[in-house]
Amino acid sequence: QVQVAESGGGSVQAGGSLRLSCEVSGLTFRSYCMAWFRQTPEKEREGVAAIDRDGSTSYANSVKGRFTISFDNEKNTLFLQMNSLKPEDTAMYYCAADYVPGESRCLGMDWVVFGGNYGGQGTQVTVSP
């Protein structure tokens, strides 16, 4: 069973940067798709970024060019580098890992938005104007 633990959130001013980390355990093979998603009480879950086993990535339009997802195989840690943060990025951020067959399904992020009880405790990101 895959378990995740997010960290790295905090409070920053608009234009600032944060780097989120997600320690992943229980992976039995490398055919997993991984993603970051975020949620607020006012908005539905939003897929932020995804990465497949080959290293291909995808991003929500709202973060494209500002966020970068990466995975360290040796440390089994998923990262999300967030630059040029905006107040609308304020949310609880979660990570997820699951076996998702097919690159398009993985990177499309429907699996993390509409399915499963993904994420750990989450890490709060607050961006002030």
Side-chain angles (χ1 to χ4, degrees), residues 3-7 37 92-95 118-124:
Q3 293 184 322
V4 297
E6 304 93 344
S7 63
F37 64 96
M92 187 71 82
Y93 283 72
Y94 302 88
C95 63
Y118 295 115
Q121 296 295 317
T123 186
Q124 176 69 38

Side-chain angles (χ1 to χ4, degrees), residues 1 8 14 16-17 25 27 31 46 53-54 64 67 69 76 84 88 93 96-97 103 116 118 121 127:
Q1 183 178 356
S17 298
S25 60
L27 294 177
S31 296
E46 178 186 16
R53 65 182 184 275
D54 297 323
K64 200 170 292 184
F67 291 10
I69 187 172
N76 269 2
S84 302
E88 50 264 44
Y93 283 72
E103 179 178 288
Y118 295 115
Q121 296 295 317
V127 185

Side-chain angles (χ1 to χ4, degrees), residues 33-105:
C33 178
M34 299 185 185
W36 287 95
F37 64 96
R38 62 189 181 186
Q39 199 156 15
T40 69
E42 298 79 22
K43 297 181 181 179
E44 295 181 347
R45 181 183 294 186
E46 178 186 16
V48 174
I51 185 168
D52 75 359
R53 65 182 184 275
D54 297 323
S56 296
T57 59
S58 65
Y59 299 90
N61 288 333
S62 57
V63 307
K64 200 170 292 184
R66 301 187 295 121
F67 291 10
T68 302
I69 187 172
S70 61
F71 183 66
D72 187 322
N73 287 304
E74 292 186 2
K75 297 180 179 179
N76 269 2
T77 302
L78 183 70
F79 297 101
L80 185 68
Q81 178 66 43
M82 305 187 297
N83 299 327
S84 302
L85 282 161
K86 302 176 180 180
E88 50 264 44
D89 295 318
T90 295
M92 187 71 82
Y93 283 72
Y94 302 88
C95 63
D98 204 350
Y99 177 65
V100 182
E103 179 178 288
S104 60
R105 288 186 181 181

